[in-house]
């Protein structure tokens, strides 16, 4: 299914979400979507962690990187940027053309190879894929809190393909998250910078990964009171 060319998954069925990487963040994302009974395809580089996770989540199946990229309607990369660059992108490149590809990474500056952001680098590694930056400003514990404690946090997103962004917005909002559109893909630079700020704040005593982000939207009346 090519979201940004032909529209979206037909209303008759929910999009199949493929998650590549089953570490803490990939597991939390899979658990969040499984709680909504969404169909999931899971892949990990070794294969074992994906199989173990799929066995305990309803509606989840494990497969190879290629199969998950080929059969999923939306592909979420819950993997380190170095692994995406060296191994994952070459194996899935042909299978994600026309699909939303969610970049969840938070790279160090030395990982970017001259690109402005990880999302822009991944877009170059996956030509034809509709890369959307999202979910990188959440920790695994915060994401689990959304599902279990009703905590509402904001997920900034950025991408060049409106239909792909709308698909990502839809699955994020259905999971109980607030979504803020940061514009086209270069806006991912600011999203990644925000994640770096949040991680810096987490180092303060007593905070840890309890630090989250929620966008405050003022009403017209409230905004009037803030004007000088």
């Amino acid at each position: 299914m090519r979201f940004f060319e032909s529209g979206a998954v037909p209303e008759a069925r929910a999009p199949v979400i493929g998650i590549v990487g089953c570490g803490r963040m990939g597991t939390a994302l899979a658990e969040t979507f499984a709680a909504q009974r969404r169909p999931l395809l899971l892949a990990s580089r070794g294969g074992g962690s994906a199989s173990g996770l799929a066995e305990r989540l309803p509606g989840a199946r494990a497969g190879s990187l290629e199969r998950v990229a080929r059969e999923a309607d939306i592909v979420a990369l819950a993997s380190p940027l170095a692994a995406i660059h060296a191994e994952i992108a070459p194996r899935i490149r042909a299978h994600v053309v026309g699909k939303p590809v969610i970049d969840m990474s938070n790279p160090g500056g030395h990982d970017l190879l001259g690109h402005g952001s990880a999302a822009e680098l991944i877009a170059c590694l996956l030509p034809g894929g509709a890369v959307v930056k999202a979910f990188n400003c959440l920790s695994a514990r915060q994401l689990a809190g959304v599902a279990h404690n009703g905590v509402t946090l904001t997920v900034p997103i950025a991408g060049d393909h409106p239909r792909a962004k709308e698909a990502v917005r839809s699955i994020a909002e259905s999971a109980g998250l607030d979504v803020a559109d940061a514009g086209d893909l270069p806006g991912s630079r600011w999203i990644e910078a925000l994640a770096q700020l949040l991680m810096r704040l987490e180092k303060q005593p007593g905070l840890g990964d309890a630090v989250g982000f929620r966008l405050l939207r003022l009403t017209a009346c409230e905004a009037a009171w803030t004007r000088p």
Side-chain angles (χ1 to χ4, degrees):
M1 177 61 64
R2 299 192 173 195
F3 274 73
F4 62 89
E5 292 179 3
S6 59
V9 170
E11 293 182 4
R13 73 170 178 88
V16 177
I17 301 173
I19 299 176
V20 177
C22 294
R24 290 186 62 206
M25 192 61 188
T27 295
L29 193 67
E31 290 173 343
T32 297
F33 290 137
Q36 303 174 278
R37 303 293 175 179
R38 286 189 175 275
L40 298 174
L41 284 171
L42 309 177
S44 54
R45 282 174 287 163
S49 57
S51 297
L53 183 58
E55 287 176 359
R56 66 179 182 84
L57 295 180
R61 294 173 292 147
S64 66
L65 293 174
E66 292 85 353
R67 179 192 172 194
V68 169
R70 182 174 61 251
E71 297 184 9
D73 298 303
I74 301 171
V75 178
L77 300 179
S79 302
L81 181 58
I84 295 170
H85 181 268
E87 181 178 354
I88 296 171
R91 292 176 60 181
I92 70 171
R93 184 176 294 128
H95 305 296
V96 297
V97 174
K99 295 182 180 181
V101 178
I102 302 172
D103 167 36
M104 303 167 60
S105 66
N106 281 313
H110 60 282
D111 294 326
L112 297 180
L113 303 177
H115 292 79
S117 69
E120 291 169 288
L121 172 57
I122 291 172
C124 289
L125 297 174
L126 300 174
V131 175
V132 179
K133 189 75 185 186
F135 297 111
N136 66 305
C137 291
L138 292 169
S139 70
R141 183 159 73 99
Q142 290 166 347
L143 187 55
V146 171
H148 299 295
N149 304 323
V151 176
T152 303
L153 296 172
T154 297
V155 173
I157 66 173
D160 290 335
H161 303 284
R163 289 176 179 169
K165 284 202 294 185
E166 186 56 37
V168 175
R169 174 188 289 276
S170 177
I171 62 172
E173 290 181 341
S174 68
L177 293 160
D178 176 55
V179 176
D181 191 337
D184 57 13
L185 200 60
S188 60
R189 303 175 189 183
W190 304 109
I191 299 176
E192 292 175 13
L194 173 61
Q196 293 295 325
L197 172 61
L198 295 176
M199 286 187 282
R200 185 177 182 87
L201 293 175
E202 287 172 1
K203 296 178 181 179
Q204 296 184 18
L207 291 181
D209 63 358
V211 175
F213 166 66
R214 177 64 195 268
L215 181 65
L216 177 62
R217 296 175 175 86
L218 298 177
T219 66
C221 183
E222 289 169 332
W225 279 102
T226 64
R227 298 192 187 104

